Amino acid sequence: MYWNAKLERLDPEALQELQLTRLREIMARAAASPFYGRRLQEAGLTAADLRSLDDFRRLPLTTKDELRAHGKEMLTRPLTDMVRLHASSGTTGQATVIYYTRADIEAWADLVARSLYMAGMRADDVFQNMMGYGLFTGGLGFHYGAERLGALTIPIGAGNSQRQLQLMQQFGTTAVHIIPSYALYLLNTFAQHGLAPRSLSLRLAFLGAEPHSEDMRRRIEAAYGVRAYNSYGLSEMNGPGVAFECPEQNGMHVWEDSFLMEVLDPVTLEPVAPGETGELVFTNLTRQGMPLLRYRTRDLASYDLAPCACGRRFKRLSRIKGRSDDMVIIKGVNIFPMQIDKVLMAMPEVGTHYLVELSRVDFNDQMLVKVEVQQSFFQEDLKYLKQLQKRITEALKSELLVTPRVELVEPNALPRSEGKAQRVIDKRS
Ligand code: ADP
Ligand code: ZN
């Protein structure tokens, strides 16, 4: 059940020991880069006098803006030693660039292989990678991992829905890697072709790249007849293969032998207790070319220390509750798009897509939620739809504490994206 039994079954004491050793190594390596050379010196920290993880916390956090402005100064070796670069999808601004040495690519492939193996993928699986290839890490990152595992890998990439179906049929695809909003969208294509996803050979789906709710997972599992596993990663920490669900489907194990994770209160920057939501901060423990120390992700989540039934002791990460930068403030109330997802996806009448539009009328914030309704319900009479609209409004109000305006729309009426879904359009500025 383990890809690397020794590392995956480390007990907490042995893990701490290993993390400290690797922290010293990575600090020494990072010190060779102009950026961290300066930073470590200013903090008065050297690898030699690092006694505990607490000492390490004296180092200031690395922000996304610093990465944008000084990325190349974070390289520990000349550019000629790098064999690949990836850039983040730029969801929240200008893209950040990450460089990899050959050893970094290998280590990353191993982490992804380990993740896939944990979730039950094997060499005899046929793996269709439906994530964008190119600068985005979801494509090549999974690709190398799946090949490392020995699975037959189909590098189709994102979009091209009809072709996706054809390939699944032709090659008997058993496992897919897919953006959750696209997985729901693809159901329309299946319907158009009169093809039932459950009639195919699919058994595993890896869902990543964007926040999604438990209900969304259950919908995907039911529609496709698969077990779906949450996959978390970010280009700054390689890409996918940072944290991944095991068959228990109860939180994502963080690969703590390769990443040091801190969960901090975003305001005080003090660590939060297990179960409390905080911002994720990561340090690469093994990277060669461009190690980042205490990188602030802006992703919000909580963690669980309890041992898992699968035998792994690594911390489990909750679903990502959102990014601190996609929180919106409406009428003074803080709202995360994920709260809306949770409410809507729990209602069987709601279709596969929704869109939130924020506007300001006479200095007043307005929130409009456009909700696609399932075909079978959309055909009901007007009275029924009015009632449904009212129920959705009430459910959103009790979760958000703000009353949105709800508009019901036909299935497929809202715009789609092949990449990360855009859920919120803010027209207020
Ligand atoms: P960008 O910040 O431009 O989107 P990336 O392509 O590196 O850059 O995407 C990484 C980000 O995607 C993460 O920081 C996180 O916000 C989001 N993400 C990745 N996987 C998941 C997941 N399983 N659940 C929720 N969010 C995720
Ligand atoms: Zn587990």
Side-chain angles (χ1 to χ4, degrees):
M1 289 302 109
Y2 304 96
W3 176 257
N4 184 336
K6 186 163 161 275
L7 281 177
E8 290 175 51
R9 301 181 65 188
L10 281 178
D11 60 60
E13 291 72 41
L15 173 65
Q16 224 184 50
E17 193 92 340
L18 177 73
Q19 286 188 324
L20 260 179
T21 307
R22 291 193 166 173
L23 264 183
R24 286 189 198 107
E25 288 166 7
I26 206 85
M27 276 168 65
R29 201 176 301 143
S33 75
F35 180 86
Y36 284 111
R38 275 196 310 272
R39 175 142 294 183
L40 287 161
Q41 198 177 26
E42 278 160 18
L45 266 179
T46 61
D49 48 44
L50 188 79
R51 293 279 165 272
S52 66
L53 297 179
D54 278 344
D55 285 346
F56 184 62
R57 292 193 44 233
R58 295 201 337 250
L59 192 71
L61 301 176
T62 302
T63 64
K64 205 171 185 104
D65 284 337
E66 286 173 323
L67 179 57
R68 275 191 195 115
H70 305 287
K72 268 201 178 162
E73 294 166 53
M74 295 178 188
L75 296 186
T76 61
R77 299 205 216 150
L79 204 57
T80 49
D81 284 1
M82 308 295 155
V83 299
R84 196 194 295 171
L85 67 78
H86 277 284
S88 78
S89 37
T91 310
T92 58
Q94 199 197 323
T96 49
V97 182
I98 299 294
Y99 299 87
Y100 305 72
T101 64
R102 191 174 305 283
D104 292 334
I105 298 282
E106 301 258 314
W108 180 20
D110 243 349
L111 281 168
V112 175
R114 194 203 277 185
S115 304
L116 295 172
Y117 193 90
M118 171 168 71
M121 192 159 114
R122 295 293 180 268
D124 56 4
D125 273 296
V126 178
F127 171 69
Q128 190 162 326
N129 194 8
M130 303 166 68
M131 289 272 176
Y133 277 68
L135 289 176
F136 175 55
T137 53
L140 285 170
F142 255 68
H143 184 102
Y144 274 57
E147 281 189 357
R148 167 72 47 102
L149 186 74
L152 175 62
T153 303
I154 310 177
I156 166 81
N160 218 338
S161 302
Q162 211 164 316
R163 188 107 176 89
Q164 300 281 5
L165 262 61
Q166 272 170 11
L167 293 173
M168 285 181 191
Q169 286 181 292
Q170 186 178 354
F171 299 111
T173 302
T174 57
V176 294
H177 179 210
I178 189 167
I179 294 189
S181 53
Y182 186 67
L184 289 183
Y185 169 63
L186 196 64
L187 291 173
N188 300 315
T189 314
F190 276 102
Q192 279 157 19
H193 288 77
L195 185 65
R198 299 188 70 106
S199 70
L200 302 179
S201 316
L202 296 172
R203 63 180 200 92
L204 292 168
F206 309 112
L207 307 178
E210 67 181 14
H212 54 290
S213 57
E214 188 61 33
D215 282 296
M216 190 138 168
R217 182 230 299 268
R218 295 299 167 206
R219 276 182 181 220
I220 292 168
E221 289 192 327
Y224 286 88
V226 294
R227 296 268 286 172
Y229 294 97
N230 196 359
S231 153
Y232 171 80
L234 63 164
S235 47
E236 295 87 337
M237 294 293 128
N238 300 339
V242 175
F244 214 91
E245 275 184 332
C246 70
E248 299 298 316
Q249 293 185 316
N250 187 19
M252 299 179 277
H253 287 290
V254 178
W255 294 128
E256 293 184 274
D257 58 298
S258 301
F259 306 98
L260 177 74
M261 180 177 79
E262 301 171 70
V263 187
L264 306 182
D265 180 309
V267 180
T268 64
L269 300 184
E270 287 300 313
V272 303
E276 282 175 26
T277 299
E279 181 177 338
L280 306 181
V281 170
F282 284 103
T283 297
N284 299 104
L285 291 176
T286 60
R287 201 188 259 163
Q288 303 286 326
M290 191 178 178
L292 302 187
L293 309 184
R294 304 197 79 208
Y295 179 73
R296 239 186 131 150
T297 62
R298 302 258 157 210
D299 290 331
L300 301 170
S302 61
Y303 69 97
D304 186 350
L305 284 174
C308 181
C310 77
R312 292 171 185 83
R313 298 291 295 272
F314 290 152
K315 285 189 192 81
R316 275 170 295 157
L317 197 58
S318 72
R319 286 184 179 286
I320 304 299
K321 297 184 173 132
R323 302 190 188 208
S324 54
D325 30 18
D326 58 28
M327 183 183 83
V328 293
I329 304 179
I330 300 171
K331 300 182 191 200
V333 180
N334 298 351
I335 293 176
F336 284 101
M338 255 307 92
Q339 294 176 274
I340 298 169
D341 194 282
K342 205 173 84 187
V343 169
L344 295 179
M345 288 298 133
M347 303 181 80
E349 301 88 348
V350 171
T352 55
H353 226 59
Y354 61 89
L355 186 67
V356 181
E357 280 181 16
L358 307 175
S359 56
R360 191 166 281 151
V361 181
D362 298 337
F363 305 104
N364 257 321
D365 288 341
Q366 310 276 334
M367 179 181 191
L368 169 65
V369 184
K370 294 183 176 170
V371 181
E372 284 187 5
V373 177
Q374 298 273 16
Q375 192 66 48
S376 52
F377 295 99
F378 200 74
Q379 285 153 354
E380 296 280 342
D381 62 17
L382 207 60
K383 194 167 140 223
Y384 175 87
L385 289 175
K386 276 269 173 234
Q387 260 173 6
L388 176 60
Q389 185 185 33
K390 199 167 147 215
R391 265 196 297 131
I392 295 175
T393 310
E394 289 299 319
L396 285 171
K397 183 181 165 193
S398 82
E399 166 73 32
L400 309 176
L401 309 174
V402 167
T403 310
R405 204 152 65 74
V406 170
E407 186 183 314
L408 303 184
V409 301
E410 261 185 282
N412 300 321
L414 297 174
R416 310 289 168 172
S417 134
E418 283 170 4
K420 303 184 187 211
Q422 194 188 10
R423 302 294 199 187
V424 181
I425 296 179
D426 198 338
K427 298 174 172 166
R428 291 180 297 179
S429 45

